[in-house]
Amino acid sequence: MRVAVFLGSSAGRQPEYAAAAADFGRQLARAGVGIVYGGASVGMMGALADAALAEGGEVIGVIPGGLFGAEIPHPGLSRMEVVSTMHERKALMARLADGFAALPGGLGTLDELFEILTWQQIGLHAKPVALVDVNGFWDPLVQMLLALTEAGFVPQATTRSLVRVQDAGEFLGLLG
């Protein structure tokens, strides 16, 4: 079993973000669940990968070759997949994963999250999707999704399918 984790290649401004990423990676590895992520060695991505690898976990990176300078590929992963485009990255991550978790991050994280939610909405997958909440980070996004649902642009089923969890232990319960 593997989980695709979407999160920042930056550490963010609050130390709790990187700490949550490391904890998430450790918990997944201890549970024997592999990680598929963006492949970087920096920021929250690096914290996630380093913690999982330290516990002996499987960590697969998927990175577009054009991002090597910005995201600095992790040299110690179980496997590194180099793709040509962000679309290929998201498609491969989706194929390799049994579920999806989003930790704090920026536009890339949102892009990955929204694409996987859209694919779920149109029936391309039925895998669990969760927001790993760190200090209420996802509150504004949840409010926006509720507003989009109220306005009739996002089905209630899609909004309900996006679950908020506090940690990997809670997320693992979604995988069944």
Side-chain angles (χ1 to χ4, degrees):
M1 180 161 296
R2 294 186 186 119
V3 173
V5 182
F6 309 135
L7 71 171
S9 59
S10 166
R13 290 201 174 109
Q14 294 184 26
E16 293 86 0
Y17 298 150
D23 185 59
F24 201 79
R26 260 190 303 279
Q27 287 187 51
L28 289 179
R30 288 176 183 162
V33 176
I35 294 171
V36 179
Y37 84 117
S41 63
V42 295
M44 291 182 56
M45 285 192 194
L48 172 86
D50 289 343
L53 291 166
E55 293 291 330
E58 176 193 45
V59 183
I60 300 170
V62 183
I63 190 168
L67 290 182
F68 275 33
E71 292 189 350
I72 309 170
H74 198 295
L77 301 180
S78 309
R79 187 166 104 211
M80 178 67 83
E81 296 285 343
V82 179
V83 295
S84 298
T85 66
M86 287 296 289
H87 180 72
E88 288 176 21
R89 174 195 233 178
K90 292 179 283 189
L92 181 54
M93 289 176 76
R95 277 196 308 276
L96 293 173
D98 300 295
F100 306 91
L103 280 95
L107 294 177
T109 301
L110 290 174
D111 173 55
E112 291 166 332
L113 174 63
F114 280 120
E115 184 146 355
I116 215 66
L117 281 174
T118 301
W119 291 356
Q120 183 184 56
Q121 181 178 306
I122 63 175
L124 296 180
H125 77 85
K127 301 170 186 178
V129 182
L131 300 172
V132 182
D133 215 3
V134 180
N135 295 338
F137 181 85
W138 293 114
D139 289 349
L141 177 70
V142 170
Q143 291 305 312
M144 175 57 86
L145 286 172
L146 291 172
L148 292 170
T149 300
E150 176 128 344
F153 293 110
V154 174
Q156 285 184 355
T158 299
T159 303
R160 280 194 304 270
S161 73
L162 182 60
V163 179
R164 290 172 86 169
V165 299
Q166 295 302 308
D167 57 27
E170 198 175 341
F171 177 77
L172 289 168
L174 301 175
L175 294 176

